[in-house]
Amino acid sequence: MYRRICILVLTLLAAQSVCFARTVNPGMRAPDRVSPGGFSPDSLNTPTSERNQRLYDSIQSKTNRRAVPRMLYRMLFVKPVLDTTMNGRVLDESRLLEPYAGKTVGDITIERMMPFDSCGNWFERAGNKTHMLTRERVIRRDLLFKPGDKFDPQLVVRNKQLLRSRPYISDTEVIVVPDSLDSTRVNMVIRTRDSWTISVDAGIHGEGRTMVGLSDANIFGTGNTLKFKTNFSRRDFSYGGNIVEYKIPNVLGTFFSAGRDFYNSELNLGLRKEFIRPTDYEIGLTYSDIKSKRYMVDLDTSLLVKVRNLDVWGGKSHYIRSIKSSVFLTGRYSYARFSRRPPVTADYNPALHDHDAMLFGGGLYREKFYTANMVYGFGTREYLATGYKAELVSGYSWGEFNDEMYLGMSYQTGGFRGMGYIMGGFTLGSYIDLKSGMWRHSAVDVDLKWFSNLFLFRRSRIRQFLAFNYTQGWNRGEGSDEMIRFTHDNGLQALKEYVTGTNRMILNTETVVFTPYQPLGFRIAVFGFADFGLIGYSPNIFKNDFFTSFGVGVRLRNERLVFNTVQIRLGIAFGKRGLVESEYFRLSNATRVEQYRYRPTRPEIVGFK
């Protein structure tokens, strides 16, 4: 009895201090050295961590002898997962693959794995039983190369990023095996691990409305997403309608959603193929018929709007080897027809005018992916884009009240430096009234973002984030989308005060500590934030209203589950005159950190919309 008690106590104490992940997945063979397609062990294997590892193995062997200790062990300890932390180092995987550049691609083998290890805890085993493995043909149709092609290291890394971006894939590994009979040929093994893709959703809205939903991002192993949402009233539990969504990814991705909820109804149909390779094409078509409540910034309320939209676009890019960049041209046609809307005039609510628009864009871009860790996710490989995009956009709009020409430009660049990752960019755009020659609805937007290298503190990792945004508008009209406020992406986290303007400047700071603890496979990160913002109508940004917010929180994430990070946040906000309306507590499923891409997309209008 005494021995059993000692084992239980030892298990609980060790779960507090040694709940960490090994660096090589047991479902994969551990490479003996760093090689193309393989990964080196975590460089943090110090004598202390080796002693912890021996303790970890000892506890596992002892707890396996008894049912209760074995159950506690499986609940509290995480099975090893692939972890490329490598002391925060950023890795250029394409360099590791350079020895194979130019060789002929031979056989391509697909190896698929369940989301969790078969010998995991009860949570993981139950997840595997309810999951249908992604079909091999779904993986193959996402490959950017085929047998007989020339091996391109950067294209392989880009393909890994593409596979990793799919919601039904949690991790991807490409192993290159030289052909023993032909030195000019290489065979490839594509290993993928699925995500557990079944999730639930819920939303509590105003006026007593409630939404609950169920989705599967890999229905029947096809990689397709099926979502079902139903609505009811919290007051009398009356039925509010359903919405069904269906998405098909891959080369020609399609989207469909239809249904209604209380005041809203929607029909969305879409088909698109994006730029992926340096030399590529893009094509897309979307149609929507939507009745919904649209938030009117000037009135701080939502009003019912019914509109039909058609959007058609396409483009072509070509890689120029001498400048290591791609030149691209894009075009887009769209129209909007409103059958229900708030009052409009020539200068009031221009965003709700019937219109037809034709836009053309052109420019240069370069995009390359590097591998890092603990930036957007908590432990798996992450592919971060570096490069630039410079674009000019011009077009013509046939409006309900007047015709206008549009001119816009944008530039965006980013990459890894000695102090971390730095990204900067600006967009500038304006309409020109052809009757008066006046510039109208003009706006400029400047973004700067930075995150530090990964610092090690004992067994935790720390990263610092900074984000700066400056937005200014002039010659604006009145009504919807002609002014701005603080938003989720460009705002203060804990501020609920209603304030508007045409000029806005924001500085967001956040410190994230990635802890080593993994109860039931959920990684834990704690964070603290401080936000500072100015907003108002004065051209001198420093004469506008000042706000700030502070807070702390915790994030939980299991990299093998499809739903987003669970975030719990506490915060408080202040203005010039002291405490203002604050969002003291928030439970959500997303963070503000987002990835950046430099590839071209359909031409867009710069503005507050």
Side-chain angles (χ1 to χ4, degrees):
M1 183 65 182
Y2 174 76
R3 185 178 179 181
R4 295 183 182 180
I5 294 175
C6 289
I7 293 175
L8 286 174
V9 172
L10 183 60
T11 302
L12 294 174
L13 290 176
Q16 236 181 349
S17 60
V18 201
C19 204
F20 60 93
R22 301 178 189 172
T23 58
V24 180
N25 193 301
M28 302 179 184
R29 179 182 177 273
D32 298 324
R33 57 185 176 84
V34 179
S35 61
F39 300 92
S40 68
D42 196 328
S43 61
L44 299 177
N45 283 336
T46 62
T48 300
S49 64
E50 291 174 0
R51 289 195 300 269
N52 288 338
Q53 184 64 53
R54 289 195 295 270
L55 176 60
Y56 183 96
D57 294 335
S58 175
I59 294 171
Q60 182 181 19
S61 63
K62 291 178 180 179
T63 55
N64 278 337
R65 303 170 190 171
R66 299 290 187 273
V68 174
R70 184 168 60 247
M71 180 188 69
L72 289 174
Y73 175 87
R74 291 179 176 178
M75 289 178 61
L76 297 174
F77 285 84
V78 177
K79 287 293 179 181
V81 297
L82 186 63
D83 193 334
T84 59
T85 303
M86 296 172 61
N87 205 18
R89 187 174 65 184
V90 175
L91 179 65
D92 183 356
E93 291 186 0
S94 63
R95 287 191 177 183
L96 298 177
L97 299 171
E98 281 297 337
Y100 304 122
K103 294 191 175 185
T104 302
V105 176
D107 296 332
I108 300 176
T109 304
I110 307 295
E111 295 182 0
R112 301 160 295 147
M113 290 181 289
M114 283 290 189
F116 308 105
D117 300 318
S118 58
C119 57
N121 57 48
W122 63 268
F123 175 81
E124 295 172 331
R125 295 196 304 273
N128 283 343
K129 289 180 179 178
T130 57
H131 178 80
M132 182 172 287
L133 194 64
T134 302
R135 298 178 183 179
E136 182 175 328
R137 64 176 177 81
V138 175
I139 306 297
R140 287 193 179 276
R141 73 184 182 190
D142 254 347
L143 297 183
L144 303 178
F145 46 81
K146 61 183 184 298
D149 289 352
K150 295 298 182 182
F151 188 92
D152 184 343
Q154 291 200 26
L155 187 64
V156 171
V157 176
R158 187 179 297 270
N159 207 155
K160 292 177 69 175
Q161 183 275 333
L162 174 63
L163 289 169
R164 181 67 177 81
S165 69
R166 300 303 188 193
Y168 48 86
I169 299 295
S170 68
D171 205 359
T172 304
E173 184 179 6
V174 176
I175 298 176
V176 183
V177 183
D179 195 305
S180 59
L181 301 178
D182 186 350
S183 61
T184 65
R185 172 183 161 112
V186 293
N187 301 315
M188 303 178 68
V189 178
I190 313 296
R191 288 176 174 169
T192 62
R193 182 179 288 277
D194 277 15
S195 296
W196 193 70
T197 53
I198 300 174
S199 64
V200 295
D201 193 11
I204 299 176
H205 307 290
E207 302 172 336
R209 294 176 295 150
T210 300
M211 179 275 294
V212 293
L214 179 66
S215 67
D216 187 348
N218 196 6
I219 188 75
F220 302 126
T222 61
N224 302 341
T225 298
L226 176 64
K227 293 183 180 180
F228 178 80
K229 300 178 182 179
T230 188
N231 300 270
F232 63 90
S233 172
R234 296 191 302 275
R235 296 172 180 172
D236 56 9
F237 292 97
S238 59
Y239 172 66
N242 300 315
I243 292 179
V244 178
E245 298 180 8
Y246 196 79
K247 293 181 181 179
I248 306 174
N250 302 101
V251 179
L252 285 176
T254 61
F255 173 81
F256 166 83
S257 71
R260 69 177 184 88
D261 66 351
F262 291 100
Y263 315 103
N264 309 327
S265 65
E266 66 176 63
L267 171 64
N268 287 289
L269 300 170
L271 173 71
R272 70 179 302 161
K273 188 270 176 192
E274 299 178 336
F275 287 105
I276 298 177
R277 305 168 185 259
T279 296
D280 210 340
Y281 72 95
E282 178 183 55
I283 188 171
L285 183 150
T286 62
Y287 172 81
S288 62
D289 189 342
I290 299 175
K291 181 180 72 172
S292 64
K293 282 194 170 183
R294 179 179 295 194
Y295 179 69
M296 314 297 289
V297 176
D298 58 321
L299 302 176
D300 189 25
T301 189
S302 296
L303 300 176
L304 205 58
V305 173
K306 185 173 174 56
V307 59
R308 287 182 292 111
N309 288 286
L310 176 67
D311 216 347
V312 183
W313 69 94
K316 186 74 173 67
S317 67
H318 179 73
Y319 183 70
I320 302 176
R321 191 172 299 277
S322 60
I323 61 174
K324 297 181 179 179
S325 299
S326 298
V327 60
F328 67 90
L329 292 173
T330 55
R332 175 185 180 188
Y333 167 76
S334 64
Y335 81 75
R337 298 291 184 268
F338 293 85
S339 57
R340 181 169 182 170
R341 59 187 175 182
V344 298
T345 65
D347 295 316
Y348 186 64
N349 283 334
L352 303 180
H353 291 178
D354 291 347
H355 69 271
D356 293 75
M358 182 74 75
L359 293 174
F360 296 95
L364 295 169
Y365 82 99
R366 179 193 303 153
E367 186 178 56
K368 182 177 180 178
F369 291 98
Y370 287 80
T371 306
N373 185 276
M374 294 187 183
V375 181
Y376 310 110
F378 284 25
T380 60
R381 284 190 300 269
E382 301 175 61
Y383 294 93
L384 309 181
T386 66
Y388 76 94
K389 183 178 76 170
E391 183 178 20
L392 294 175
V393 177
S394 182
Y396 195 88
S397 174
W398 297 267
E400 182 177 355
F401 295 93
N402 50 21
D403 297 343
E404 298 174 313
M405 181 180 291
Y406 177 79
L407 293 175
M409 65 177 66
S410 67
Y411 181 76
Q412 195 177 20
T413 185
F416 290 95
R417 304 292 184 264
M419 58 187 299
Y421 182 91
I422 303 175
M423 174 265 182
F426 77 92
T427 55
L428 172 66
S430 181
Y431 285 99
I432 302 175
D433 191 313
L434 297 181
K435 291 183 178 180
S436 63
M438 297 289 294
W439 295 75
R440 298 164 55 85
H441 314 296
S442 307
V444 62
D445 187 85
V446 178
D447 278 297
L448 297 172
K449 297 180 189 271
W450 168 80
F451 61 78
S452 70
N453 297 319
L454 196 62
F455 301 106
L456 177 65
F457 179 73
R458 296 183 179 177
R459 291 188 296 115
S460 297
R461 276 82 167 179
I462 302 174
R463 206 183 287 278
Q464 179 67 44
F465 295 84
L466 289 176
F468 172 83
N469 171 262
Y470 176 73
T471 304
Q472 179 174 344
W474 62 97
N475 301 327
R476 308 296 300 188
E478 300 288 337
S480 175
D481 298 336
E482 292 300 295
M483 57 188 66
I484 52 177
R485 61 173 303 180
F486 293 125
T487 66
H488 176 270
D489 295 323
N490 292 304
L492 284 64
Q493 289 200 56
L495 179 68
K496 289 186 66 177
E497 189 87 358
Y498 176 72
V499 57
T500 62
T502 52
N503 297 335
R504 179 184 65 195
M505 185 166 68
I506 303 163
L507 177 65
N508 304 120
T509 70
E510 186 168 286
T511 304
V512 182
V513 179
F514 298 94
T515 72
Y517 307 111
Q518 299 184 52
L520 293 177
F522 285 85
R523 294 177 180 259
I524 301 174
V526 296
F527 66 94
F529 66 90
D531 301 324
F532 309 91
L534 291 161
I535 190 169
Y537 295 90
S538 173
N540 185 342
I541 188 65
F542 296 103
K543 292 184 178 180
N544 293 308
D545 291 336
F546 172 77
F547 298 89
T548 183
S549 71
F550 305 90
V552 295
V554 61
R555 295 182 182 126
L556 305 174
R557 181 179 179 88
N558 189 319
E559 297 286 358
R560 297 181 185 176
L561 303 182
V562 70
F563 54 80
N564 291 328
T565 305
V566 176
Q567 175 176 284
I568 302 171
R569 191 196 68 210
L570 303 175
I572 191 170
F574 299 90
K576 287 183 178 180
R577 292 170 291 278
L579 184 67
V580 297
E581 188 176 2
S582 306
E583 189 175 54
Y584 299 107
F585 173 83
R586 182 176 180 82
L587 175 65
S588 61
N589 65 345
T591 66
R592 292 188 303 180
V593 182
E594 297 178 355
Q595 296 195 40
Y596 311 111
R597 298 301 309 270
Y598 302 100
R599 65 187 180 190
T601 58
R602 62 184 185 182
E604 300 285 353
I605 298 293
V606 175
F608 292 164
K609 192 172 182 180

